[in-house]
Each structure stands twice: as structure tokens, then as C-alpha cells.
Amino acid sequence: MRRSVRLTGIKVVTKANGRRYIYRRVDSRLIPLPNLPENHPDFLKAYQEAGNAPAPQRAGSGTIAALCGAYLDSNEYSSLAASTRAVWRRLMDRIREDRGKALVKDLRADHLRKDIRAFSPGASSMRLKAWRSLMRFAVDEGWITADPSIGLKPVKGVVTPHRQWTRDEIEKYRQHWQAGTPQRVAFEVIYWTGARCVDAVSLGFQAVGNDGWLRFTQVKTGGPAVAPASCRLPTWALAMVEDHQHFLDAMPRNRLLWIVTQTGKPRSVKGLSQWMSANASAAGLPHDCTAHGLRKARAAALAESGASTHQIGAWTGHESLSEISHYTKAADRKALLAGPEQEQNTGNSTGKVSNISAQRADK
């Protein structure tokens, strides 16, 4: 009888969604194989070819590829937030692929300028940031003596940022997705807390203290963010009492995490962002109503309620005072245009919501 040959070095990875990924380990490399039975002819062929696959060439000394590798192994890179590291690795891999063979010592400002101009306005800005990080690292480590990226600018053009939701769009979303739906829960969590998706996916009652305040450490910056959850609102925030009640009404009481999938598992960061955009479209809202646009809407609502720059920063976790001042200036302009009569109406309104808040808290 013919004895069967046992294939060695096979690694199988099964994801949470049930998908299987098969690899052959060759030296320290994992080479992907087709998801087929081991006795399938195509699988055996791919297995054999993987064993003969040449090892990738090491980056030449002094090349841009070698510099990218050194940067990705550096403490500077490892100290970045996980989400930022993922973005930076993609940027470095692209530079390594496009310009890896060139020598770092030969780089000039014109070379970088030409490279950056090959991209669209938004992409050129990220490309330039990557080059600046690389060149600063190269100077610090003695690869070069002068930074050729100094003074360079990204391609001019219109870069569309995440647009702030309007009040009408917020109400339209709420009318479409009723309280109790997963879509509404995710909306109220992101809108009330002003959290980025990378933070919102892990928020829940475990982050709410005995005093009723929500506290969490931001993934992107490592800085703190604090927002009232089940406690009374501070006096300066009473104009937002209705939004607060929407948040309280939406919170599921039967689990720790607030935003989960239909099977009760945590949502991924990318999945949450895409899902929220799809939810907004289903509610008949413009395609540029994004989850991050809700973060901007909360910062604006805080400014309009009379929050100071530092109060907004403590709530949303913004670290740049100049970025926060954009919202406070807009709120100041709105109050200026509204005039004394509108300010009086706002004051009356604040008194009413103050009473409402006290009544609800006493229940």
C-alpha cells in the first residue's frame, strides 16, 4: 500500500466570522495557500511552490527601504497609538515600495516635492507627513545631516473633511431609527460622548463610575475624556438636557458594552464607521453624514451651550485648543447674530430644561 505523505509547516487561522486562512511556514515566513483540502491538486501545487518561493531581498544599506524598516523598529514608532501605527505602517510600506531602492543621502527637496505632487490633495498631505517623520528620524539617527522635507507643502486643492451634522439631520436620524434599535444606540453613544469610533466600540457601563461620570482613555492620543452619563448635568450643560435624555433612554441595561453586533460581539472600528454611514443613508441623509461628523456636532453643541474651551476639550478629548476654538468662535458668531432677544429666549429655555432635568433626576 502507498503511504500518504504528511504535509508539514501548515498553519490554519480561523477568524471570528468563520473564514479559514491557510499558510505554509517557510523559514520565518508565512506564505498563503488556497482554502482547499490538503489532498486537492491545486493545494498540493501551491504548497510545493511555496516551498520554492525565494526569500525577499534585504533592503540595501543606506536605502530608503532600510530607513523605513529602521523607523518601524524604532521606539518613536512603537510609542504611537495602535490605530496610528497601522496608518503609519501602510504609509511606510508604500514609500518603501515606490522609492525603496534610492539612497537616503541622495534625497533632495525636489525629489520629495515631485513624489508628493503625484498624489491627490488629501493623499499628498499624508504622504508629506510620512516623509517628514522619516526625514526627522534620519537626521536624529545620523543618516543625513539636513532634513530635505522642511518647507515642503502638500498639493493644493479642496480636501473634504468630515462634515458636522446639522440639527435637522440629527432629528431625521432619530425619527427613522427609533429608540431601542442598535442603530439608535450607536448614534446616541457617539453623539453624546463625542467619542471617535476607535473609542466608542469599547464604551459601556464598565467605564461609568459610581458618581455617574463616564471616563475613558483615548486610543489615538492616550489622553483622558470625561462626560456625564447617569449623573445630573453641570449647570453650564443644561441646554443639552434633551440630548442627555435621548442618551439615557437608548442605553441597553442588559450588557456592559453599548455598541455590539446582532450576535452580541463588539464591533470593529472600521465596521462601526461604515455601518454608521450606511445607517445615515438608510435614514435618507446625505452620504457625508459620518460618525466623525457627530463628534464635531457634539463639540459645536457644547460651545453653543456656553462651555469653555477647556470644558469642551475635557469632554471630547480634543488636545488642540486651536481646533476647539473653531467651535467656540462659531458659537460666538451665532450669539452675536441672534441678538439680545434670542439670548433672552435661550435663557428662558435653559431655565425650562433645568426644571425638566431636576424633575427627571427626582424620579
Side-chain angles (χ1 to χ4, degrees):
M1 294 179 62
R2 174 191 267 177
R3 296 180 61 186
S4 60
V5 178
R6 182 174 179 271
L7 304 181
T8 60
I10 293 179
K11 179 180 178 66
V12 179
V13 177
T14 303
K15 298 292 186 179
N17 58 11
R19 291 185 180 179
R20 296 173 72 248
Y21 297 88
I22 307 176
Y23 305 88
R24 179 178 180 182
R25 188 185 297 279
V26 179
D27 300 325
S28 59
R29 295 171 290 152
L30 289 177
I31 300 176
L33 299 175
N35 188 10
L36 296 169
E38 290 187 9
N39 61 354
H40 194 284
D42 290 341
F43 183 92
L44 294 172
K45 180 181 178 182
Y47 177 86
Q48 184 177 8
E49 291 176 349
N52 298 327
Q57 295 183 349
R58 297 184 63 180
S61 177
T63 62
I64 293 175
L67 177 63
C68 290
Y71 175 81
L72 293 174
D73 290 335
S74 69
N75 290 333
E76 179 179 339
Y77 173 76
S78 61
S79 65
L80 300 173
S83 57
T84 305
R85 288 201 303 271
V87 174
W88 239 233
R89 176 171 287 278
R90 289 195 294 269
L91 291 169
M92 296 301 165
D93 286 346
R94 180 69 186 275
I95 288 177
R96 183 158 42 187
E97 180 182 344
D98 295 343
R99 310 294 178 191
K101 295 180 180 180
L103 295 176
V104 178
K105 67 181 181 65
D106 293 336
L107 279 176
R108 301 291 182 269
D110 285 345
H111 299 152
L112 298 184
R113 186 178 294 108
K114 182 178 179 180
D115 176 85
I116 293 164
R117 287 178 176 175
F119 293 85
S120 63
S124 74
S125 179
M126 293 302 297
R127 183 80 163 194
L128 177 55
K129 288 180 180 179
W131 275 120
R132 284 173 175 164
S133 294
L134 267 182
M135 295 300 96
R136 183 173 59 250
F137 176 77
V139 172
D140 291 343
E141 296 298 314
W143 289 59
I144 52 178
T145 57
D147 184 349
S149 69
I150 294 177
L152 296 182
K153 297 180 180 180
V155 176
K156 290 184 177 181
V158 178
V159 180
T160 304
H162 293 277
R163 181 179 64 80
Q164 175 185 317
W165 288 46
T166 67
R167 194 69 203 181
D168 287 343
E169 289 167 344
I170 290 169
E171 293 308 317
K172 187 173 182 179
Y173 186 101
R174 284 171 170 161
Q175 289 172 9
H176 183 85
W177 298 110
Q178 296 297 308
T181 61
Q183 294 84 352
R184 181 66 175 274
V185 171
F187 171 88
E188 298 297 350
V189 169
I190 296 171
Y191 179 45
W192 178 250
T193 64
R196 301 179 183 89
C197 284
V198 69
D199 296 316
V201 293
S202 60
L203 294 184
F205 288 111
Q206 79 283 358
V208 179
N210 293 332
D211 58 358
W213 283 79
L214 171 73
R215 297 177 178 86
F216 62 94
T217 300
Q218 299 173 97
V219 172
K220 182 177 181 180
T221 66
V226 184
S230 56
C231 59
R232 286 195 179 195
L233 296 181
T235 304
W236 59 264
L238 289 177
M240 300 186 298
V241 67
E242 291 187 10
D243 282 340
H244 186 217
Q245 193 60 46
H246 280 301
F247 168 75
L248 294 176
D249 292 342
M251 291 307 94
R253 306 292 173 178
N254 58 346
R255 60 176 185 263
L256 285 179
L257 284 182
W258 290 328
I259 302 176
V260 296
T261 65
Q262 290 184 343
T263 58
K265 296 180 179 179
R267 287 191 176 272
S268 67
V269 176
K270 185 177 180 180
L272 174 59
S273 178
Q274 294 175 342
W275 183 59
M276 285 301 298
S277 295
N279 295 341
S281 296
L285 299 177
H287 71 280
D288 57 351
C289 283
T290 64
H292 200 79
L294 286 175
R295 172 173 166 82
K296 290 189 171 185
R298 175 51 53 203
L302 284 164
E304 291 173 8
S305 73
S308 68
T309 300
H310 291 286
Q311 286 169 331
I312 296 173
W315 187 308
T316 64
H318 281 98
E319 293 185 333
S320 171
L321 295 182
S322 61
E323 185 176 357
I324 300 172
S325 66
H326 164 78
Y327 299 105
T328 56
K329 287 178 181 178
D332 291 342
R333 286 194 295 268
K334 182 176 180 181
L336 180 64
L337 292 173
E341 182 180 350
Q342 180 63 32
E343 290 180 9
Q344 180 63 41
N345 291 338
T346 302
N348 295 337
S349 217
T350 302
K352 291 178 181 178
V353 297
S354 176
N355 293 333
I356 294 173
S357 179
Q359 292 170 7
R360 285 171 173 166
D362 291 336
K363 287 183 179 180

